[in-house]
């Protein structure tokens, strides 16, 4: 397979991956990584003469990396909101409906 064809396949996969990331489908987005790795290995074995295609791939890969980082930050933020921090305690209500502190005092 020519290096131009490999570049086109990598570009297609990166665009597909970006779509999955924008849709929040991390499982499918990350499942593309092994295919990308194999194609990049091919490019390293037979580098293209014209590097313009590689520059475009680099830009797309950088954008995907930023999308993955944003997804990771979103997951971490959601986890922090869903899991109460027990090391600082939290406010709740007793059986009489009065607000009370549970856990360590601040």
């Amino acid at each position: 397979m020519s290096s131009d064809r490999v570049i086109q396949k990598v570009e297609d996969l990166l665009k597909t991956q970006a779509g999955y990331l924008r849709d929040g489908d991390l499982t499918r987005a990350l499942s593309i990584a092994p295919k990308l790795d194999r194609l990049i290995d091919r490019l390293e074995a037979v580098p293209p003469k014209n590097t313009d295609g590689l520059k475009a791939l680099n830009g797309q890969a950088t954008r995907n990396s930023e999308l993955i980082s944003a997804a990771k930050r979103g997951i971490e933020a959601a986890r922090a909101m869903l899991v109460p921090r027990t090391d600082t305690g939290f406010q709740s209500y007793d059986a009489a409906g009065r607000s009370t502190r549970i856990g360590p005092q601040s």
Side-chain angles (χ1 to χ4, degrees):
M1 181 182 317
S2 73
S3 58
D4 289 340
R5 181 73 180 124
V6 174
I7 288 173
Q8 184 59 51
K9 283 184 169 246
V10 171
E11 183 178 6
D12 292 345
L13 282 175
L14 287 172
K15 286 178 181 178
T16 299
Q17 185 181 52
Y20 290 149
L21 290 166
R22 283 190 294 274
D23 292 343
D25 192 342
L26 298 178
T27 302
R28 289 178 81 181
L30 297 177
S31 72
I32 291 175
K35 295 174 193 172
L36 284 171
D37 286 342
R38 285 190 298 274
L39 289 170
I40 290 169
D41 287 343
R42 282 185 172 181
L43 277 177
E44 289 175 349
V46 183
K49 294 176 184 145
N50 183 348
T51 60
D52 291 342
L54 293 179
K55 290 175 186 172
L57 291 181
N58 186 45
Q60 182 67 45
T62 298
R63 286 188 292 279
N64 285 11
S65 177
E66 291 166 356
L67 288 170
I68 291 169
S69 294
K72 180 181 175 193
R73 287 191 306 273
I75 290 168
E76 290 168 351
R79 181 180 297 138
M81 290 174 61
L82 294 173
V83 178
R85 291 195 50 185
T86 57
D87 60 333
T88 60
F90 59 95
Q91 290 292 123
S92 187
Y93 297 93
D94 64 15
R98 292 180 302 249
S99 178
T100 185
R101 180 98 182 138
I102 298 175
Q105 300 298 318
S106 36

